[in-house]
Amino acid sequence: MAVIQNRYEFVVLFDVENGNPNGDPDAGNMPRIDPETGYGLVTDVCLKRKIRNYVETVKEGEEGYRIYVKDGVPLNRSDAEACNYVGVAADDKALKAAKKKDDDLDRKLRDFMCANFFDIRAFGAVMTTFVKGALNCGQVRGPVQLGFARSVDPVLPQEVTITRVAITTEADAEKKGTEMGRKYIVPYGLYRAEGYISANLARKTTGFSEEDLELLWQAILNMFEHDHSAARGKMAVRELIVFKHASELGNAPAHKLFDLVKAEKKAGIVAPRTYGDYAVSVDTSGLPDGVTCVRMG
């Protein structure tokens, strides 16, 4: 597979309707917000989880597209596969001895992990927990980086009281007929996330390929389609805006490209409640030489 040769930046616009896009466990699972401004936040970890889940769903364990960071699979179990591949026993003495004999062993372990796990090729990983650090699969800085998503306008999370008729214990059933609960929702919020793809890191480190790139775009556009739940409400990626540079190192600063993308409330809209309440524009007339723009979604 051909490694990517162009730098990219991208903007993802997604929205939530009557749901919690990313709860904060330190705040009773309340939607994350910037307390100073009221803007909603969604972490990069949350978004990458959705991308991982989509890739795992469509590839079903296909060779080269496994997922390293996944529920129920200890990281060291996957690390041990790399040791088995290079023929080194996964114990302290054997690992230390092997490293003394082969100065290139860490690279071989790293390359195995990159070749087999899509999320390592894309996002990188810290794989230094194996056998108390005696030998590890390396620390990989991935070419694909995402920042926190932030809402275009301030959001106002609401606490909704709910009831259920199913009682938990026999003792409670003798005293009451329903139980109370609560959930947090954002009535509506349009969120914007920005990302970066380094062809230089792909070439020198992980081997992130053109096929991987197409799968990434597909995963971003569909990351909520197989992740619906009552708690998250109605979530959808509305648009993916991709800036492609003509070179490996890029032809313009990322922030100047991001500034070309605007999402603004339409005239007369006070409290947006649908995506149609916004006007999204890309000032392609301001594109620097050597940069092209594609809008997907």
Side-chain angles (χ1 to χ4, degrees), residues 28-82:
N29 208 43
M30 177 181 173
R32 297 179 191 271
I33 61 170
D34 178 345
E36 289 188 318
T37 64
Y39 286 97
L41 300 173
V42 174
T43 67
D44 62 308
V45 174
C46 175
L47 297 176
K48 287 189 284 189
R49 177 77 272 150
K50 311 302 183 199
I51 294 171
R52 286 184 171 103
N53 289 347
Y54 179 83
V55 171
E56 186 174 26
T57 297
V58 298
K59 289 299 184 178
E60 290 284 353
E62 184 179 322
E63 184 178 354
Y65 291 93
R66 295 168 59 193
I67 298 299
Y68 181 63
V69 180
K70 61 185 294 185
D71 184 45
V73 180
L75 300 181
N76 283 353
R77 185 185 302 171
S78 300
D79 295 342
E81 293 183 31

Coordinates of all heavy atoms in Angstrom, one line a residue, residues 28-82:
G28 N -21.0 14.1 37.2 CA -22.2 13.4 37.2 C -22.7 13.0 35.8 O -23.9 12.9 35.5
N29 N -21.7 12.9 34.8 CA -22.0 12.7 33.4 C -22.7 13.8 32.7 O -23.3 13.6 31.7 CB -22.8 11.4 33.2 CG -22.5 10.8 31.9 OD1 -21.3 10.7 31.5 ND2 -23.5 10.3 31.2
M30 N -22.6 15.0 33.2 CA -23.1 16.2 32.6 C -22.3 16.5 31.3 O -21.1 16.2 31.2 CB -23.0 17.4 33.5 CG -23.4 18.7 33.0 SD -23.2 20.1 34.2 CE -23.6 21.5 33.2
P31 N -23.0 17.0 30.2 CA -22.3 17.3 29.0 C -21.1 18.2 29.3 O -21.2 19.2 30.1 CB -23.3 18.0 28.1 CG -24.6 17.4 28.6 CD -24.4 17.2 30.1
R32 N -20.0 18.0 28.7 CA -18.8 18.8 28.9 C -19.0 20.2 28.3 O -19.4 20.4 27.2 CB -17.6 18.2 28.3 CG -17.2 16.8 28.8 CD -16.0 16.2 28.1 NE -15.8 14.8 28.4 CZ -15.0 14.4 29.4 NH1 -14.4 15.3 30.2 NH2 -14.9 13.1 29.7
I33 N -18.7 21.2 29.1 CA -18.7 22.6 28.7 C -17.5 23.4 29.2 O -16.9 23.0 30.2 CB -20.0 23.3 29.1 CG1 -20.1 23.3 30.7 CG2 -21.3 22.6 28.5 CD1 -21.2 24.2 31.2
D34 N -17.2 24.5 28.5 CA -16.3 25.4 29.0 C -17.0 26.3 30.0 O -17.9 27.1 29.6 CB -15.7 26.2 27.9 CG -14.7 27.3 28.3 OD1 -14.7 27.6 29.5 OD2 -14.0 27.9 27.4
P35 N -16.7 26.2 31.3 CA -17.5 27.0 32.3 C -17.4 28.5 32.2 O -18.3 29.2 32.6 CB -16.9 26.5 33.7 CG -15.5 26.1 33.3 CD -15.6 25.5 32.0
E36 N -16.4 29.0 31.5 CA -16.3 30.5 31.4 C -17.1 31.0 30.2 O -17.6 32.1 30.3 CB -14.8 30.9 31.1 CG -13.9 30.7 32.3 CD -12.5 31.3 32.1 OE1 -12.0 31.1 31.0 OE2 -12.0 32.0 33.0
T37 N -17.3 30.2 29.2 CA -18.0 30.7 28.0 C -19.3 30.0 27.7 O -20.2 30.5 27.0 CB -17.1 30.6 26.8 OG1 -16.9 29.1 26.5 CG2 -15.8 31.3 26.9
G38 N -19.5 28.8 28.3 CA -20.7 28.0 28.0 C -20.6 27.2 26.7 O -21.6 26.5 26.3
Y39 N -19.5 27.2 26.0 CA -19.4 26.4 24.8 C -19.2 25.0 25.1 O -18.6 24.6 26.1 CB -18.2 26.9 24.0 CG -18.3 28.2 23.3 CD1 -17.9 29.4 23.8 CD2 -19.0 28.2 22.0 CE1 -18.0 30.6 23.1 CE2 -19.2 29.4 21.4 CZ -18.7 30.6 21.9 OH -18.9 31.8 21.3
G40 N -19.9 24.1 24.4 CA -19.8 22.7 24.6 C -18.5 22.1 24.1 O -17.9 22.6 23.1
L41 N -18.1 21.0 24.7 CA -16.8 20.4 24.4 C -17.0 18.9 24.2 O -17.9 18.3 24.9 CB -15.8 20.6 25.5 CG -15.3 22.0 25.8 CD1 -14.4 22.0 27.0 CD2 -14.7 22.6 24.6
V42 N -16.3 18.3 23.2 CA -16.2 16.9 23.0 C -14.8 16.5 22.9 O -14.1 17.1 22.1 CB -17.0 16.4 21.8 CG1 -16.8 14.9 21.5 CG2 -18.5 16.7 21.9
T43 N -14.3 15.6 23.7 CA -12.8 15.3 23.7 C -12.4 14.5 22.4 O -13.2 13.9 21.8 CB -12.5 14.4 24.9 OG1 -13.0 13.1 24.8 CG2 -12.9 15.1 26.2
D44 N -11.1 14.7 22.1 CA -10.5 13.9 21.0 C -10.6 12.4 21.3 O -10.8 11.7 20.3 CB -9.1 14.4 20.8 CG -8.2 14.0 22.0 OD1 -8.6 14.5 23.1 OD2 -7.2 13.4 21.9
V45 N -10.5 12.0 22.5 CA -10.6 10.6 22.9 C -11.9 10.0 22.5 O -12.1 8.9 21.9 CB -10.3 10.4 24.4 CG1 -10.5 8.9 24.8 CG2 -8.9 10.8 24.7
C46 N -13.0 10.8 22.7 CA -14.4 10.4 22.4 C -14.5 10.2 20.9 O -15.0 9.2 20.4 CB -15.4 11.4 22.9 SG -17.1 11.1 22.4
L47 N -14.0 11.1 20.1 CA -14.1 11.1 18.6 C -13.3 9.9 18.1 O -13.8 9.2 17.2 CB -13.7 12.4 18.0 CG -14.5 13.6 18.4 CD1 -13.9 14.9 17.8 CD2 -16.0 13.4 18.0
K48 N -12.1 9.7 18.6 CA -11.3 8.6 18.1 C -11.9 7.3 18.4 O -11.7 6.3 17.7 CB -9.8 8.8 18.6 CG -9.1 9.9 18.0 CD -7.6 9.9 18.4 CE -7.4 10.4 19.7 NZ -5.9 10.6 20.0
R49 N -12.6 7.2 19.6 CA -13.3 6.0 19.9 C -14.3 5.6 18.9 O -14.5 4.5 18.5 CB -13.9 6.1 21.3 CG -14.7 4.9 21.8 CD -13.8 3.8 22.3 NE -13.4 2.9 21.2 CZ -12.3 2.2 21.3 NH1 -11.4 2.4 22.2 NH2 -12.0 1.4 20.3
K50 N -15.1 6.6 18.4 CA -16.1 6.4 17.4 C -15.4 5.9 16.1 O -16.0 5.0 15.4 CB -16.9 7.6 17.1 CG -17.4 8.4 18.3 CD -18.3 7.5 19.2 CE -18.9 8.4 20.3 NZ -19.4 7.6 21.4
I51 N -14.3 6.5 15.7 CA -13.6 6.1 14.5 C -13.1 4.7 14.6 O -13.2 3.9 13.7 CB -12.5 7.1 14.2 CG1 -13.0 8.5 13.9 CG2 -11.6 6.6 13.1 CD1 -12.0 9.6 13.8
R52 N -12.5 4.4 15.8 CA -12.0 3.0 16.0 C -13.2 2.0 15.8 O -13.0 0.9 15.2 CB -11.4 2.9 17.3 CG -10.0 3.5 17.5 CD -9.4 3.2 18.9 NE -8.0 3.6 19.0 CZ -7.6 4.8 19.6 NH1 -8.5 5.6 20.1 NH2 -6.3 5.0 19.6
N53 N -14.3 2.3 16.5 CA -15.4 1.4 16.5 C -15.9 1.2 15.1 O -16.3 0.0 14.7 CB -16.6 1.9 17.3 CG -16.2 1.8 18.8 OD1 -15.3 1.2 19.2 ND2 -17.0 2.5 19.6
Y54 N -16.0 2.2 14.2 CA -16.4 2.1 12.9 C -15.5 1.2 12.1 O -15.9 0.3 11.3 CB -16.6 3.4 12.2 CG -17.1 3.3 10.8 CD1 -18.4 3.2 10.5 CD2 -16.1 3.3 9.7 CE1 -18.8 3.0 9.2 CE2 -16.6 3.1 8.4 CZ -17.9 3.0 8.1 OH -18.4 2.9 6.8
V55 N -14.2 1.4 12.2 CA -13.2 0.6 11.5 C -13.3 -0.8 11.9 O -13.3 -1.7 11.0 CB -11.8 1.2 11.7 CG1 -10.7 0.2 11.1 CG2 -11.6 2.5 11.1
E56 N -13.5 -1.1 13.1 CA -13.6 -2.5 13.6 C -14.8 -3.1 13.1 O -14.9 -4.3 12.7 CB -13.6 -2.5 15.1 CG -13.6 -3.9 15.7 CD -13.4 -3.9 17.2 OE1 -13.8 -2.9 17.9 OE2 -12.9 -4.9 17.8
T57 N -15.9 -2.3 13.0 CA -17.2 -2.9 12.4 C -17.1 -3.2 11.0 O -17.5 -4.3 10.5 CB -18.3 -1.8 12.6 OG1 -18.5 -1.6 14.0 CG2 -19.6 -2.4 12.1
V58 N -16.5 -2.4 10.2 CA -16.5 -2.6 8.7 C -15.4 -3.6 8.3 O -15.5 -4.3 7.3 CB -16.4 -1.3 7.9 CG1 -17.6 -0.4 8.2 CG2 -15.1 -0.6 8.2
K59 N -14.3 -3.7 9.1 CA -13.2 -4.5 8.7 C -13.3 -5.9 9.4 O -12.6 -6.9 8.9 CB -11.9 -3.9 9.0 CG -11.6 -2.7 8.1 CD -11.5 -3.1 6.7 CE -11.0 -2.0 5.7 NZ -10.9 -2.4 4.3
E60 N -14.0 -6.0 10.5 CA -14.2 -7.3 11.2 C -12.9 -8.1 11.4 O -12.8 -9.3 11.0 CB -15.2 -8.2 10.4 CG -16.6 -7.6 10.4 CD -17.4 -7.9 11.7 OE1 -16.8 -8.7 12.5 OE2 -18.5 -7.4 11.9
G61 N -11.9 -7.5 11.9 CA -10.6 -8.2 12.2 C -9.8 -8.5 11.0 O -8.9 -9.3 11.0
E62 N -10.1 -7.9 9.8 CA -9.3 -8.1 8.6 C -7.8 -7.8 8.9 O -7.5 -6.9 9.6 CB -9.9 -7.2 7.5 CG -9.2 -7.3 6.2 CD -9.8 -6.4 5.1 OE1 -11.1 -6.2 5.2 OE2 -9.1 -5.9 4.3
E63 N -7.0 -8.6 8.2 CA -5.5 -8.4 8.5 C -5.1 -7.0 8.2 O -5.4 -6.4 7.1 CB -4.7 -9.4 7.6 CG -3.2 -9.4 7.8 CD -2.5 -10.4 7.0 OE1 -3.2 -11.2 6.3 OE2 -1.3 -10.3 7.0
G64 N -4.3 -6.4 9.1 CA -3.8 -5.0 9.0 C -4.8 -4.0 9.5 O -4.4 -2.8 9.5
Y65 N -6.0 -4.4 9.9 CA -7.0 -3.4 10.3 C -7.6 -3.7 11.7 O -8.7 -3.3 12.0 CB -8.1 -3.3 9.3 CG -7.7 -2.7 8.0 CD1 -7.2 -3.5 7.0 CD2 -7.6 -1.3 7.9 CE1 -6.8 -2.9 5.8 CE2 -7.2 -0.7 6.7 CZ -6.8 -1.5 5.7 OH -6.3 -0.9 4.5
R66 N -6.8 -4.4 12.5 CA -7.2 -4.6 13.9 C -7.1 -3.3 14.7 O -6.5 -2.3 14.3 CB -6.3 -5.7 14.5 CG -6.4 -7.1 13.9 CD -5.4 -8.0 14.3 NE -5.4 -8.2 15.8 CZ -4.4 -8.8 16.4 NH1 -3.3 -9.2 15.8 NH2 -4.5 -8.9 17.7
I67 N -7.7 -3.3 15.9 CA -7.8 -2.1 16.7 C -7.0 -2.4 18.0 O -7.2 -3.4 18.7 CB -9.2 -1.7 17.1 CG1 -9.9 -1.3 15.8 CG2 -9.2 -0.6 18.0 CD1 -9.3 -0.2 15.0
Y68 N -6.0 -1.6 18.3 CA -5.2 -1.8 19.5 C -5.9 -1.4 20.8 O -5.9 -2.1 21.8 CB -3.9 -1.0 19.3 CG -2.9 -1.1 20.4 CD1 -2.3 -2.3 20.7 CD2 -2.5 0.1 21.1 CE1 -1.3 -2.4 21.7 CE2 -1.5 0.0 22.1 CZ -0.9 -1.2 22.4 OH 0.0 -1.3 23.4
V69 N -6.5 -0.2 20.8 CA -7.2 0.3 22.0 C -8.6 -0.1 21.9 O -9.4 0.6 21.2 CB -7.0 1.8 22.1 CG1 -7.7 2.3 23.4 CG2 -5.5 2.2 22.2
K70 N -9.0 -1.2 22.5 CA -10.4 -1.7 22.5 C -10.8 -2.3 23.8 O -10.0 -2.7 24.6 CB -10.5 -2.7 21.4 CG -9.7 -3.9 21.5 CD -9.8 -4.8 20.3 CE -11.2 -5.4 20.2 NZ -11.3 -6.4 19.1
D71 N -12.1 -2.3 24.0 CA -12.6 -2.8 25.3 C -12.4 -4.3 25.5 O -12.6 -5.1 24.5 CB -14.2 -2.5 25.3 CG -14.8 -2.9 26.6 OD1 -14.3 -2.6 27.6 OD2 -15.9 -3.5 26.5
G72 N -11.9 -4.6 26.7 CA -11.8 -6.0 27.0 C -10.5 -6.7 26.6 O -10.3 -7.9 26.8
V73 N -9.6 -5.9 25.9 CA -8.4 -6.5 25.4 C -7.2 -5.8 26.0 O -6.9 -4.6 25.7 CB -8.2 -6.5 23.9 CG1 -6.9 -7.1 23.4 CG2 -9.4 -7.2 23.2
P74 N -6.5 -6.4 27.0 CA -5.3 -5.7 27.6 C -4.3 -5.3 26.6 O -4.0 -6.1 25.7 CB -4.8 -6.7 28.6 CG -5.9 -7.6 28.9 CD -6.7 -7.7 27.6
L75 N -3.7 -4.2 26.7 CA -2.7 -3.7 25.7 C -1.5 -4.7 25.7 O -0.9 -5.0 24.6 CB -2.2 -2.3 26.1 CG -3.3 -1.2 26.1 CD1 -2.6 0.1 26.4 CD2 -4.0 -1.2 24.7
N76 N -1.1 -5.2 26.8 CA 0.1 -6.1 26.9 C -0.2 -7.4 26.1 O 0.8 -8.0 25.6 CB 0.4 -6.5 28.3 CG 1.1 -5.3 29.0 OD1 1.5 -4.3 28.4 ND2 1.4 -5.4 30.3
R77 N -1.4 -7.8 25.9 CA -1.7 -9.0 25.1 C -1.3 -8.8 23.7 O -0.8 -9.7 23.0 CB -3.2 -9.4 25.2 CG -3.6 -10.7 24.6 CD -5.1 -10.9 24.6 NE -5.6 -10.9 26.0 CZ -6.9 -11.0 26.3 NH1 -7.8 -10.9 25.3 NH2 -7.2 -11.0 27.5
S78 N -1.7 -7.6 23.2 CA -1.3 -7.3 21.8 C 0.2 -7.0 21.7 O 0.8 -7.4 20.7 CB -2.0 -6.0 21.3 OG -3.4 -6.2 21.4
D79 N 0.8 -6.4 22.7 CA 2.3 -6.2 22.7 C 3.0 -7.6 22.6 O 4.0 -7.7 21.9 CB 2.7 -5.5 24.0 CG 2.2 -4.1 24.1 OD1 1.8 -3.5 23.0 OD2 2.1 -3.5 25.2
A80 N 2.5 -8.6 23.3 CA 3.1 -9.9 23.3 C 3.1 -10.5 21.9 O 4.1 -11.3 21.6 CB 2.4 -10.8 24.3
E81 N 2.2 -10.2 21.1 CA 2.1 -10.7 19.7 C 3.4 -10.3 19.0 O 3.9 -11.0 18.1 CB 0.9 -10.3 19.0 CG -0.4 -10.9 19.6 CD -1.6 -10.5 18.8 OE1 -1.5 -10.3 17.5 OE2 -2.7 -10.4 19.3
A82 N 3.8 -9.0 19.2 CA 4.9 -8.5 18.5 C 6.2 -9.3 18.9 O 7.1 -9.6 18.1 CB 5.1 -7.0 18.8

